[in-house]
Amino acid sequence: MKRLLVTAALVGAMSAPVMAVELPAEIAKRGSIKVALVPNYPPMEFRDPATNALSGFDIDLGEAIGRKLGVKIEWQETSFAEFMPSISTGRVDAILSGFTDYASRHEIASFVDYLRSGPQFFVQQSRKAEFKDAAALCGKKVGASRRTMFPAQIAAWSEKNCGTNPIQFVGTDGSADARTQLRQGRIDAAAQGNETLPYIMDLEPGTYATVGAPIAQQFTGIALPVKEKALQQAMLEAVDALITDGTYRTLLAKWKLTDNALEKATLNAGQ
């Protein structure tokens, strides 16, 4: 594909430095990047209840990347199941939606990683005294979204730490369902990405308490078509530029994600 040289304009106070990057000709001509998302994963992306506007860390980061590259971000809502098909068929140019970089996805998409996270156990605040550490969860019912790698990660942790008294895993229809089952007492604990828990705990003060540290490390990334090397490099450079100029840290602090920071963007670091 013929490439065009695109020079990013000086737009927006948070991303002032000018960048000269190479973008695919179609994107350069269109002047925009089509980005898929599912806005149901606060604080990463969600619709503001008051305005119905897209909000969240990924939204702010995406808009800042667009300013760095001198293009608009065209947000396109889809379903989680359509993420990989939308990339492989070219319906979108990227996925920026709290999407985890797993090696099993690298055949279809390459990931520019911009956040570190991991599954975290939590319980009802009223039962906090029962679970002074993660080992207290052995033999208990623990729920987590069956659409993630959390079931496998919890099973691996249980096998390593619980011996003959393993965790009883309960698959749920997403993290919100796991929290509902936890509040109803149908499970003893739940697990979800530690990048989401501070926000959720602020929304529901006094409801939950974390248990132990994250049980695994994973990376959240911008998914891009494998063959689009120029676009991958442009995104990598844009994220690094936002890290360098302080925009990245400012956005992390805004959404209480400082503990999840990366010092530098990486490519396909997921396992």
Side-chain angles (χ1 to χ4, degrees):
M1 177 185 292
K2 182 180 179 181
R3 308 287 177 181
L4 297 179
L5 187 66
V6 178
T7 302
L10 184 64
V11 181
M14 293 185 69
S15 43
V18 174
M19 290 181 61
V21 298
E22 190 178 48
L23 289 172
E26 182 179 349
I27 290 176
K29 182 179 180 180
R30 187 198 313 140
S32 65
I33 298 175
K34 297 177 181 178
V35 181
L37 83 163
V38 179
N40 65 356
Y41 195 54
M44 303 303 288
E45 50 275 320
F46 60 100
R47 286 203 172 274
D48 187 317
T51 65
N52 202 41
L54 289 173
S55 187
F57 176 76
D58 283 341
I59 306 302
D60 288 348
L61 182 68
E63 295 295 339
I65 288 171
R67 290 192 291 270
K68 281 291 185 189
L69 299 178
V71 295
K72 294 181 179 180
I73 301 298
E74 291 186 46
W75 298 105
Q76 298 194 3
E77 292 188 39
T78 184
S79 66
F80 183 85
E82 286 300 311
F83 272 169
M84 298 305 269
S86 70
I87 280 286
S88 62
T89 60
R91 294 201 302 272
V92 299
D93 305 304
I95 300 165
L96 178 52
S97 189
F99 201 36
T100 305
D101 174 5
Y102 293 128
S104 59
R105 292 170 172 166
H106 291 173
E107 185 176 342
I108 295 176
S110 292
F111 288 77
V112 172
D113 303 314
Y114 61 90
L115 206 70
R116 178 188 294 109
S117 66
Q120 174 92 55
F121 292 129
F122 62 104
V123 298
Q124 292 188 74
Q125 177 71 37
S126 60
R127 298 183 64 188
K128 180 180 179 180
E130 297 178 46
F131 302 99
K132 295 182 178 180
D133 56 33
L137 294 170
C138 294
K140 302 296 185 179
K141 293 181 180 179
V142 178
S145 173
R146 62 172 64 91
R147 298 195 298 265
T148 67
M149 289 293 288
F150 294 166
Q153 291 166 330
I154 291 170
W157 185 91
S158 177
E159 183 176 356
K160 180 179 179 181
N161 294 279
C162 294
T164 58
N165 188 31
I167 282 175
Q168 301 175 47
F169 178 75
V170 178
T172 66
D173 293 327
S175 296
D177 180 36
R179 294 193 301 274
T180 297
Q181 293 198 41
L182 180 61
R183 291 192 302 270
Q184 293 173 343
R186 295 161 62 189
I187 55 178
D188 300 294
Q192 65 183 67
N194 75 324
E195 77 277 17
T196 66
L197 278 174
Y199 181 86
I200 294 298
M201 291 172 75
D202 274 354
L203 287 182
E204 303 178 61
T207 303
Y208 308 115
T210 58
V211 179
I215 62 172
Q217 177 176 277
Q218 56 197 36
F219 294 95
T220 302
I222 305 168
L224 304 157
V226 170
K227 295 181 180 180
E228 293 292 352
K229 304 300 183 183
L231 183 57
Q232 294 167 29
Q233 186 62 30
M235 286 286 190
L236 188 72
E237 292 181 15
V239 174
D240 275 340
L242 293 172
I243 292 173
T244 299
D245 72 16
T247 300
Y248 176 72
R249 286 283 179 179
T250 298
L251 295 180
L252 288 172
K254 174 183 176 181
W255 295 104
K256 299 187 176 183
L257 293 167
T258 300
D259 290 344
N260 302 93
L262 291 181
E263 296 302 317
K264 188 175 179 61
T266 55
L267 185 66
N268 289 338
Q271 301 300 312

